[in-house]
């Protein structure tokens, strides 16, 4: 593979490569599905559309946990090649916002898995057992999951909305081409 072909896959100071963009947009689509399924479940869990969306929620949550771990490793591997962050206050806020997104993308499904383990009923992902039922409830894990999973999930949605809003600010107000780094090929 030539260095030109390899550069298509890797990040560069001018923009994100194919792997970063695939992980970003693939996860965005999966999170959109998760938020829709959660909103429908909260609205009316007995509605036909809710019952259609909801069964995938747990499996997609675990998949997202795996993908966020892969994305974090890929980001660290490409850290020196990635587009630079502005040194001003907006750059620092951007770093903080992205760190919050990554933290919540990791914590929300992890907390749900801990709650599932705490219920002692086991967990299957896409029909494959991730861990077997123990039959023993661990009340503290169930309480943690019940207290935090939903609220942190909605906080994640709020950060995603803020992230999308800032893309609009960069694209249409500041017109600084920052959004082009993730929106199209270099």
């Amino acid at each position: 593979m030539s260095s030109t072909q390899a550069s298509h896959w890797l990040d560069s100071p001018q923009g994100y490569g194919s792997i970063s963009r695939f992980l970003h947009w693939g996860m965005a689509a999966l999170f959109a599905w998760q938020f829709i399924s959660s909103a429908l479940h909260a609205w009316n869990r007995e509605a036909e559309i809710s019952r259609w969306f909801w069964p995938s929620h747990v499996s997609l949550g675990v998949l997202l946990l795996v993908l966020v771990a892969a994305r974090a490793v890929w980001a660290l591997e490409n850290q020196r090649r990635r587009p630079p962050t502005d040194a001003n206050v907006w750059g620092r806020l951007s770093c903080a916002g992205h760190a919050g997104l990554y933290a919540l993308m990791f914590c929300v499904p992890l907390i749900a898995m801990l709650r599932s383990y705490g219920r002692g009923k086991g967990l299957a992902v896409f029909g494959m057992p991730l861990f077997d039922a123990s039959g023993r409830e661990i009340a503290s894990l169930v309480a943690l999951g019940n207290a935090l999973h939903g609220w942190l999930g909605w906080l994640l949605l709020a950060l995603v909305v803020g992230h999308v809003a800032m893309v609009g600010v960069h694209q249409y107000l500041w017109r600084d081409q920052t959004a082009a780094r993730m929106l199209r090929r270099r």
Side-chain angles (χ1 to χ4, degrees):
M1 179 183 303
S2 71
S3 63
T4 305
Q5 289 171 320
S7 68
H8 170 74
W9 297 98
L10 302 175
D11 297 345
S12 78
Q14 292 75 41
Y16 296 95
S18 297
I19 294 172
S20 291
R21 285 185 284 115
F22 173 78
L23 288 168
H24 178 273
W25 292 110
M27 289 179 66
L30 292 174
F31 272 113
W33 184 278
Q34 291 293 79
F35 292 132
I36 289 168
S37 73
S38 295
L40 290 170
H41 192 72
W43 165 68
N44 180 356
R45 64 185 60 192
E46 298 304 320
E48 179 103 9
I49 192 165
S50 300
R51 289 187 289 125
W52 186 77
F53 268 93
W54 190 252
S56 62
H57 191 82
V58 171
S59 292
L60 290 181
V62 174
L63 175 60
L64 281 163
L65 180 61
V66 171
L67 289 174
V68 76
R71 189 171 173 189
V73 168
W74 184 253
L76 289 172
E77 180 65 28
N78 280 271
Q79 189 172 13
R80 289 195 175 105
R81 289 189 283 270
R82 288 191 152 193
T85 302
D86 292 334
N88 61 23
V89 68
W90 293 110
R92 289 191 296 277
L93 286 172
S94 172
C95 286
H98 283 95
L101 283 167
Y102 272 91
L104 288 171
M105 287 188 298
F106 183 77
C107 289
V108 171
L110 180 64
I111 288 168
M113 288 176 63
L114 290 172
R115 175 177 58 190
S116 186
Y117 182 77
R119 286 180 174 156
K121 295 181 181 176
L123 180 65
V125 177
F126 299 111
M128 297 176 290
L130 190 61
F131 51 82
D132 293 327
S134 68
R136 289 176 284 129
E137 184 172 306
I138 304 170
S140 59
L141 292 180
V142 175
L144 175 75
N146 288 343
L148 295 178
H149 177 70
W151 288 108
L152 291 179
W154 295 120
L155 178 60
L156 174 58
L157 177 59
L159 283 181
V160 167
V161 169
H163 179 70
V164 171
M166 286 309 298
V167 169
V169 168
H170 279 285
Q171 187 69 18
Y172 300 109
L173 187 62
W174 296 341
R175 299 182 187 274
D176 64 5
Q177 298 302 306
T178 296
R181 298 171 180 173
M182 189 59 79
L183 293 172
R184 64 176 183 255
R185 291 182 70 191
R186 300 188 292 266

